[in-house]
Amino acid sequence: MHRMDAADDSSGPLYQRIAARIEAAIASGAMRAGARLPSVRQLSQQHEVSMSTALQVYRCLENRGVVEARPKSGYFVTPRAPSLPEPMLDLRMEAPSLVNMDQVLQEFLWIVNDPLAVPSFHAQPARELLPEAKLQHLLAGVNRRHPEYASRCQMEGSAALRQEIARRAVASGVPLRPDEIVITNGGLEAVYLALRTVASAGDTIVLESPTYFHLLQVIESLGMRALEIPTHPRDGISLEALEFATREPGSVKACVLLPNFPNPMGSLMPVERKRALVQLARERGITLIESDIYGELHFGEQRPPVLKSFDAEADIILCSAFTKTVAPGYRIGWVAPGRHFLKTQALKFRTSVACPMLTQEVLAQFIRDGGYDHHLRKLRAALKTQMHQMVDSVARHFPMGCRMSLPQGGMMLWIELPKHVDSREVFALARLEHIGVGPGAAFSTTRRFDHFIRLQYGEPFTAATEAAMKRLGHIVERLAKRGPSLGDARPQHEPRLIDA
Amino acid sequence: MHRMDAADDSSGPLYQRIAARIEAAIASGAMRAGARLPSVRQLSQQHEVSMSTALQVYRCLENRGVVEARPKSGYFVTPRAPSLPEPMLDLRMEAPSLVNMDQVLQEFLWIVNDPLAVPSFHAQPARELLPEAKLQHLLAGVNRRHPEYASRCQMEGSAALRQEIARRAVASGVPLRPDEIVITNGGLEAVYLALRTVASAGDTIVLESPTYFHLLQVIESLGMRALEIPTHPRDGISLEALEFATREPGSVKACVLLPNFPNPMGSLMPVERKRALVQLARERGITLIESDIYGELHFGEQRPPVLKSFDAEADIILCSAFTKTVAPGYRIGWVAPGRHFLKTQALKFRTSVACPMLTQEVLAQFIRDGGYDHHLRKLRAALKTQMHQMVDSVARHFPMGCRMSLPQGGMMLWIELPKHVDSREVFALARLEHIGVGPGAAFSTTRRFDHFIRLQYGEPFTAATEAAMKRLGHIVERLAKRGPSLGDARPQHEPRLIDA
C-alpha cells in the first residue's frame, strides 16, 4: 500500500477520514479483496497518528464490513461478496428411492487419490495443514510407555479419549459423559452403526440434498431408501419441506443430517431452525442422526451448537470423528447414541469389536495438552483464507450464469453451472488435466444436481490452484457455449424457485 | 531323573536297551507325561554312550510315540492320551433359527476382561507370549520414517502387508495375489463383510456346532438364520449332516466354517474331508466363508491347508487376522473374497472406509524380516505345552463322567460335563472365584451344549492355573453330585450317539 497523506479536506474525526480513504482504495480495486492490510503499528507510522487512532480506523472499517480481523494474523480486506450468486433452492421433492449409482460415479469414487490433482479430490485438509510432526512425537512417547497396546485393546475405547471428547462436547452445547461414547473406526462407521441401530432394510431415511455421496452409498448398501429434502446453501435443510415430507406418521424412520458445514455445501443451520428441527423430529417420532464431523471448522467466531444440544429426550444420535480435523490416517471417530447406547455398543462389538488403543491415546494426549485447540485455530484460519481465495478465483474464471455457495465452515465449495452443462463431462475433462472436480450427480439420487460441481479448498491456494481454476473455467465455458445437445436425454428440471 | 546304569541284561543293541529302560520309567509313572527329558548330551554322559547312540535312543522312543521332540526345546515325555474321553457327537439337527442370546450370555460376553481371572476369559495368547517389545521397536521405526501415516491411509490397505499375506498364503495352499486381498479391522470385520457380500437378512447360514459365540451374534445382528451342523471334536463338521441339511436347493445361502482349530473345539478337518466339503458346497451352490484365524497355530508338523486351496471356482471367501497370533491390539485382519472381490471391497468402503497404515506396516515388516515365523514357532510350542498341561490338570481334577476334546491347534479346550450340570451355574460360581469359564450355552443357538464349558490355555500354566482347575473341578463335582434339580426346566437332550 502506498503511503497516504493524513491531511485531507473531508470532515469528521481523523480516524474516520483515514478509514474513508482506505475504503475508497479498496472500492477502486487498488487493494484486492483478501489482501493483508498494514499492521496497526505500520498504519500509525504511515499516517503519523497514534496507535489508538490507527486501531480506531480498523474498528471503524471492521464495523462497516470492509476489513476483517483474523486472530494472530492481522487485518485483511474483507473478501468481496461472491460475484457469483448463491445456487437457488429447488423445493420440489421426489419420492424416496433406493440408491443406485452409476459407473461414472463409481469411477469418481475410486480415483479420488490421484496424487497429481490440484485441487485434490480429497475432502481432507492438506498434509501441511495437519500436525503430523506433533502427533509423531506424541506417538513415539505413547509407544514407549505402552508396549501392551500391541496386545490389548479396550472394548469401549480409550477412557482418556472419551474423557476428552466429553470435555469438548460442552462447547457444542451437550453435556456428555465418557461412558455415553463409543469409539469407532472413523466417522463413517459411526454413522453406519447409528443407521443400523434405528433402521432396517426398506426403511426411509431423510437426507439433506445435496448430500455426501458416501452417505448415499451406505444407505444403498443397507438396502434403505433415501428421501432427499431440499437444502439451502446457507441455512441448511428446509424445515417446510421436511414437515411436508414427514406428515404421514411412520413414513420416515430416521434423518441423517449435518447441520454444521456439510459436504458439499458448507451451510450452517441457524440456532432457531435447529431448535425447530429437533422439535419437529420429536413430534413426528423420527430419530435424528447428526454428524458433526465438520463442526469444529467454523469460520465464524463461535463454535456452532449441535442439534443434540436441544435434545431433552436423548433420542438424537451424535456422530463425529477426528478424520477431517487432525488425523485422517488414524481413522478414529465416535458416536454418542443417547438412549440407544446399548444397541449401538452391541452393534459395534458385532461389526469390528473394538478400536486400536495406540492412536486413541495419542489423540487424547494431543487434546488434553491443548495441542488440538491450538491446531484448530490455525486450521480454521487457513481454511477460511483458502475459501476466500478459491471463491475469488472461481468468481474471476467461471463464466456468467454460474452460481456458488459461500461456505460458513468446512472445506467444500458447491458450484451451480449453466443448466445444460453436464458435470460428468466437466469431471471427465478436468480429470484429464488433473483437476479434482466432484460431479454434482454424485451428491444426490435425483438428477437435479447434474449441473453442479464440488471443489475443495483444503489445501493452500497456490499459483497451480489459480491455473487449475482458470483451465476449469475454460472447460465450463466451452461446454456452456456448446448449448444443450440435441441428444441430451437428461430430464430438464425447471425448479419452482422459492426465496427461502 | 536319577542316573540309570548302562549295564543291563536285556538283549539287542545298546540304544534299544537304554530306550526300554526309559520307556519303563515312563510307564511306571516315575517320569510324568509332558516332563522334559535330559538333552542328548546329558543322556550320553549319564549312560556313558556316544552322542549318536543317545540320539538313536530318542529316535527309537520317538518312533514308538513315547517321547516327542519339540523344536529348540528338546525332548519330552509324550503327554498321555487324555484320561477323559472325547465328547460325543450329537448328530441330531434342529431347524435354522434366528439367534437370540439371553442375559447370562450377554453378561459373559461383557466380563471377559476380568483382569484377575485365571485362566483368563480371553481367547488370546497371554501378553508374555506375544512379541510386544519387537513390535514396539518396529513401530518406533515406522513412526519415525512415516509421519504421513497420521494424515493418509490407502483405501485398499498397505501394499507391503498384502504382499506378505499373499506370500504366506502359499503355505496354506492358496496362490493369492496382493490385489485380491482387502485389509479389515480385525478378523470379525472380515467375516462380517463376507457374510454381507453373499447373504441378506432372512437367509440361512450354516455353522459348525458348537461355534464361536461372536459369530452367532454377528448372524443375529444381520437378521440371518443360523443352521448348526453337528461337528466332531477331532474331525470337524459332519459332511453327512451337511449333505442332509442342504439337500433342498437354495435352502442354505452360505457356510461360515473354521476347518482349522475352531473356537471352542480345536478340531482339524482331514484333507480328504476338506476336499469333499468344497465339492459338496460347489454342487449345492453354497458359498463357503472360511475363517483361518487359528490356522497358524497347529500342533502338528505341518501347517494345514485351507478349504480355499481346493477351490477352483474362486467362490470361497477366505478370512483371517493377526489378532490371535501376534497383535490382538492392532485389530488387523484380511479377507480374500475371490470372485466376490468387488462387492466385498465396496462394502468395506461403505462400512469403515479404510484401515490405519502404521500398524499394517509394522506387521508387514515383522513378517518380511522373519520375526513372525520365529515368533510363531515359539508360540506354537508354548501353546502345545500349555494344552498338555491343561488337559492333564483337568483330567486329574474333574470328576468321572466328564469328557474333553484333545485340541490339535489353537488355544481352547472343550469339556463336556455330566448332563444335568448347568454350565451357566458353573460359569457363575467360577466367576466368583475369578476362574475364566465360557458357558457352553454361548456356543450354540440350541440347548445341547448347556452342559459343556470352554477353557482357554493361551497363558502359561502356573501353580495358580493348577489351583484354579482344582477349585473348578470341585465346583463341577458339587453340581454333579447334586443331581438334576426338580425345577430344572431345561429340555433334556438324549442324543442319538454315533461313534463318528
Side-chain angles (χ1 to χ4, degrees):
Chain A
M1 190 172 106
H2 60 88
R3 192 178 178 286
M4 286 183 280
D5 190 356
D8 198 339
D9 55 16
S10 61
S11 62
L14 180 59
Y15 79 88
Q16 282 189 359
R17 278 178 280 150
I18 300 174
R21 285 213 207 155
I22 295 178
E23 196 173 349
I26 291 169
S28 74
M31 294 180 64
R32 280 271 299 273
R36 182 195 293 271
L37 289 157
S39 69
V40 172
R41 177 176 304 277
Q42 288 169 328
L43 191 72
S44 86
Q45 289 166 350
Q46 285 170 349
H47 293 273
E48 293 164 2
V49 296
S50 71
M51 290 277 281
S52 82
T53 300
L55 195 62
Q56 266 185 311
V57 169
Y58 280 145
R59 290 234 173 98
C60 167
L61 287 168
E62 220 183 335
N63 288 337
R64 295 167 73 165
V66 177
V67 312
E68 63 178 19
R70 297 188 195 155
K72 317 222 167 183
S73 299
Y75 289 88
F76 292 79
V77 179
T78 301
R80 53 178 167 183
S83 58
L84 300 182
E86 267 180 358
M88 289 180 294
L89 181 64
D90 175 355
L91 267 180
R92 287 165 319 141
M93 305 245 305
E94 298 181 26
S97 67
L98 293 172
V99 183
N100 195 357
M101 296 212 166
D102 72 14
Q103 203 46 49
V104 173
L105 302 183
Q106 300 293 356
E107 197 182 354
F108 158 60
L109 301 174
W110 281 107
I111 58 140
V112 291
N113 51 4
D114 172 3
L116 298 177
V118 174
S120 88
F121 287 93
H122 274 291
Q124 283 171 357
R127 280 185 57 196
E128 56 262 51
L129 299 180
L130 294 171
E132 284 183 357
K134 180 75 183 156
L135 294 177
Q136 181 185 39
H137 176 74
L138 290 175
L139 197 141
V142 174
N143 181 46
R144 207 157 41 231
R145 291 190 302 280
H146 296 287
E148 78 277 12
Y149 287 163
S151 301
R152 295 292 180 257
C153 52
Q154 287 161 20
M155 211 92 84
E156 56 278 11
S158 150
L161 181 59
R162 288 179 294 127
Q163 178 73 49
E164 295 306 318
I165 291 169
R167 267 201 328 111
R168 294 191 72 79
V170 175
S172 65
V174 197
L176 271 187
R177 291 193 320 270
D179 63 4
E180 295 178 300
I181 296 164
V182 177
I183 302 294
T184 60
N185 291 303
L188 192 85
E189 195 184 61
V191 172
Y192 176 86
L193 293 173
L195 270 170
R196 289 197 59 210
T197 298
V198 296
S200 309
D203 285 341
T204 294
I205 310 297
V206 154
L207 303 169
E208 286 137 349
S209 184
T211 190
Y212 178 38
F213 52 83
H214 209 155
L215 188 51
L216 289 171
Q217 293 186 304
V218 172
I219 302 240
E220 173 189 25
S221 81
L222 290 171
M224 299 172 187
R225 285 163 194 279
L227 174 57
E228 298 182 31
I229 301 291
T231 300
H232 191 278
R234 202 172 348 102
D235 293 341
I237 196 165
S238 161
L239 291 183
E240 300 69 26
L242 182 62
E243 190 153 26
F244 179 77
T246 59
R247 68 200 179 287
E248 193 181 319
S251 59
V252 167
K253 200 60 168 277
C255 302
V256 182
L257 299 177
L258 288 81
N260 299 331
F261 326 122
N263 177 356
M265 287 211 291
S267 50
L268 173 60
M269 262 193 119
V271 166
E272 275 320 304
R273 290 169 68 92
K274 282 180 177 163
R275 203 189 301 272
L277 170 61
V278 172
Q279 175 69 20
L280 175 65
R282 191 183 146 197
E283 284 166 16
R284 300 276 157 99
I286 299 167
T287 297
L288 294 174
I289 297 170
E290 174 178 27
S291 170
D292 191 47
I293 195 165
Y294 296 104
E296 302 268 24
L297 303 180
H298 49 95
F299 297 155
E301 287 294 307
Q302 297 295 320
R303 193 251 194 267
V306 291
L307 292 179
K308 197 170 172 63
S309 67
F310 307 108
D311 171 31
E313 272 71 33
D315 191 47
I316 296 181
I317 302 182
L318 176 62
C319 305
S320 194
F322 298 96
T323 49
K324 298 298 179 187
T325 53
V326 50
Y330 284 2
R331 309 276 333 127
I332 297 177
W334 56 271
V335 51
R339 65 182 183 81
H340 309 279
F341 181 84
L342 288 177
K343 184 155 184 206
T344 307
Q345 186 188 45
L347 279 170
K348 166 65 184 170
F349 185 61
R350 286 151 179 75
T351 306
S352 58
V353 191
C355 298
M357 293 294 288
L358 186 75
T359 43
Q360 290 184 62
E361 289 293 319
V362 171
L363 280 189
Q365 197 176 328
F366 188 58
I367 299 172
R368 194 173 50 232
D369 299 351
Y372 188 48
D373 271 322
H374 176 71
H375 160 68
L376 281 176
R377 280 192 294 274
K378 287 202 313 190
L379 178 62
R380 281 194 291 258
L383 289 177
K384 189 173 178 182
T385 301
Q386 289 160 202
M387 182 273 286
H388 283 303
Q389 289 166 319
M390 189 69 114
V391 159
D392 188 51
S393 181
V394 168
R396 276 183 282 107
H397 295 303
F398 276 47
M400 284 291 292
C402 294
R403 293 163 174 267
M404 150 172 72
S405 65
L406 185 63
Q408 300 178 71
M411 56 195 95
M412 322 294 167
L413 196 57
W414 184 237
I415 303 174
E416 182 174 4
L417 309 177
K419 209 168 299 162
H420 59 278
V421 175
D422 185 346
S423 62
R424 292 155 205 245
E425 216 170 332
V426 178
F427 159 72
L429 292 169
R431 180 188 170 184
L432 295 176
E433 303 195 33
H434 299 292
I435 305 171
V437 168
F443 297 84
S444 174
T445 60
T446 73
R447 310 297 308 264
R448 73 175 65 182
F449 301 111
D450 282 9
H451 62 297
F452 283 71
I453 59 172
R454 181 195 79 176
L455 296 176
Q456 65 82 19
Y457 50 82
E459 55 223 12
F461 192 93
T462 63
T465 325
E466 173 71 11
M469 290 303 100
K470 189 169 178 181
R471 296 202 313 278
L472 186 57
H474 283 316
I475 290 172
V476 171
E477 193 160 20
R478 210 163 67 235
L479 294 176
K481 277 190 183 145
R482 205 179 59 183
S485 78
L486 288 175
D488 190 347
R490 284 188 303 135
Q492 293 296 319
H493 282 305
E494 283 303 331
R496 180 163 63 92
L497 302 175
I498 291 188
D499 191 15
Chain B
M1 191 170 105
H2 60 91
R3 191 177 180 286
M4 285 182 282
D5 191 357
D8 199 336
D9 56 13
S10 63
S11 63
L14 182 57
Y15 79 89
Q16 283 188 358
R17 279 177 279 147
I18 299 174
R21 286 214 205 154
I22 295 177
E23 197 173 349
I26 291 169
S28 75
M31 294 181 62
R32 280 271 298 275
R36 183 195 293 273
L37 290 156
S39 69
V40 173
R41 178 177 301 279
Q42 289 169 328
L43 192 71
S44 85
Q45 288 166 351
Q46 286 170 348
H47 294 272
E48 292 163 5
V49 296
S50 71
M51 290 277 282
S52 81
T53 301
L55 197 60
Q56 267 184 309
V57 170
Y58 281 144
R59 290 234 174 98
C60 168
L61 287 168
E62 222 184 332
N63 288 338
R64 297 167 71 165
V66 177
V67 312
E68 63 178 17
R70 298 190 193 154
K72 316 223 167 184
S73 299
Y75 290 89
F76 293 78
V77 180
T78 302
R80 55 177 164 183
S83 58
L84 300 182
E86 267 181 357
M88 289 180 292
L89 180 64
D90 175 356
L91 267 180
R92 288 165 318 140
M93 304 246 307
E94 299 180 26
S97 68
L98 293 172
V99 183
N100 194 358
M101 297 215 165
D102 71 16
Q103 202 47 48
V104 174
L105 303 182
Q106 300 293 354
E107 198 181 353
F108 159 60
L109 302 173
W110 281 107
I111 58 141
V112 291
N113 50 6
D114 172 2
L116 298 176
V118 173
S120 88
F121 288 92
H122 274 290
Q124 283 172 358
R127 282 185 56 196
E128 55 263 53
L129 299 179
L130 294 171
E132 285 182 358
K134 181 75 183 156
L135 294 176
Q136 181 185 41
H137 175 75
L138 290 175
L139 197 142
V142 174
N143 181 47
R144 207 157 42 232
R145 292 192 302 280
H146 296 287
E148 77 278 12
Y149 287 163
S151 302
R152 295 290 180 259
C153 51
Q154 285 161 22
M155 212 91 83
E156 57 278 12
S158 149
L161 180 59
R162 287 179 294 126
Q163 178 73 49
E164 295 305 319
I165 291 169
R167 265 199 330 112
R168 293 190 72 78
V170 175
S172 66
V174 198
L176 273 186
R177 292 195 318 273
D179 62 3
E180 295 178 299
I181 295 164
V182 177
I183 303 293
T184 59
N185 291 303
L188 192 85
E189 194 184 64
V191 173
Y192 175 86
L193 293 172
L195 271 170
R196 288 196 59 208
T197 298
V198 295
S200 310
D203 284 342
T204 295
I205 310 298
V206 154
L207 303 170
E208 287 138 349
S209 182
T211 190
Y212 178 39
F213 54 82
H214 210 156
L215 188 51
L216 289 171
Q217 293 187 304
V218 172
I219 303 241
E220 173 189 26
S221 81
L222 290 171
M224 298 172 187
R225 283 164 195 280
L227 175 57
E228 297 181 32
I229 302 290
T231 300
H232 191 278
R234 201 172 349 100
D235 292 342
I237 194 164
S238 161
L239 291 182
E240 301 68 27
L242 183 62
E243 190 152 25
F244 179 76
T246 59
R247 70 201 179 287
E248 193 182 317
S251 60
V252 167
K253 200 61 168 276
C255 302
V256 181
L257 300 177
L258 287 82
N260 298 332
F261 327 121
N263 177 356
M265 287 211 291
S267 51
L268 171 61
M269 258 191 122
V271 166
E272 275 320 304
R273 290 168 68 90
K274 282 179 177 164
R275 203 189 301 272
L277 171 61
V278 172
Q279 176 69 19
L280 176 65
R282 189 183 148 197
E283 284 167 15
R284 300 276 157 100
I286 299 167
T287 298
L288 294 175
I289 297 170
E290 174 179 27
S291 170
D292 191 46
I293 195 164
Y294 297 103
E296 303 269 24
L297 302 180
H298 49 94
F299 297 155
E301 287 294 306
Q302 297 296 318
R303 192 250 195 268
V306 292
L307 293 178
K308 197 170 171 65
S309 66
F310 307 108
D311 171 33
E313 273 71 34
D315 190 46
I316 296 181
I317 303 183
L318 176 62
C319 306
S320 195
F322 297 97
T323 49
K324 299 297 179 187
T325 53
V326 49
Y330 284 4
R331 308 275 336 125
I332 297 178
W334 54 273
V335 51
R339 65 182 182 81
H340 309 279
F341 181 84
L342 288 177
K343 185 155 183 207
T344 307
Q345 185 187 47
L347 279 171
K348 165 67 184 170
F349 185 62
R350 285 152 179 75
T351 306
S352 57
V353 190
C355 298
M357 293 294 287
L358 186 75
T359 43
Q360 289 183 62
E361 289 294 320
V362 171
L363 280 189
Q365 197 176 326
F366 188 59
I367 299 171
R368 194 173 50 232
D369 298 353
Y372 187 49
D373 271 322
H374 176 72
H375 159 68
L376 281 177
R377 280 192 295 273
K378 287 201 313 187
L379 178 62
R380 281 193 291 258
L383 289 177
K384 189 173 177 182
T385 299
Q386 289 159 202
M387 182 272 286
H388 284 302
Q389 290 167 317
M390 189 69 115
V391 160
D392 189 49
S393 181
V394 168
R396 277 184 281 107
H397 296 302
F398 276 47
M400 286 290 291
C402 294
R403 293 164 171 265
M404 145 173 78
S405 64
L406 186 62
Q408 300 178 71
M411 56 196 95
M412 322 295 166
L413 196 57
W414 184 236
I415 303 174
E416 182 175 4
L417 309 178
K419 210 168 295 162
H420 60 276
V421 176
D422 185 346
S423 62
R424 292 154 206 247
E425 216 170 333
V426 179
F427 159 71
L429 292 170
R431 178 187 170 185
L432 294 176
E433 303 195 32
H434 300 292
I435 305 171
V437 167
F443 297 83
S444 174
T445 60
T446 74
R447 308 299 306 266
R448 73 175 65 182
F449 301 110
D450 281 9
H451 62 297
F452 283 70
I453 59 171
R454 181 195 78 178
L455 296 176
Q456 64 83 20
Y457 50 83
E459 54 222 13
F461 192 92
T462 64
T465 325
E466 174 69 12
M469 288 304 99
K470 190 169 178 183
R471 295 202 314 279
L472 186 57
H474 284 316
I475 290 173
V476 171
E477 194 159 20
R478 209 163 69 235
L479 294 177
K481 277 190 184 147
R482 202 179 60 184
S485 77
L486 289 176
D488 192 346
R490 285 187 302 136
Q492 292 297 319
H493 281 305
E494 284 304 331
R496 181 163 61 92
L497 302 174
I498 292 187
D499 193 14

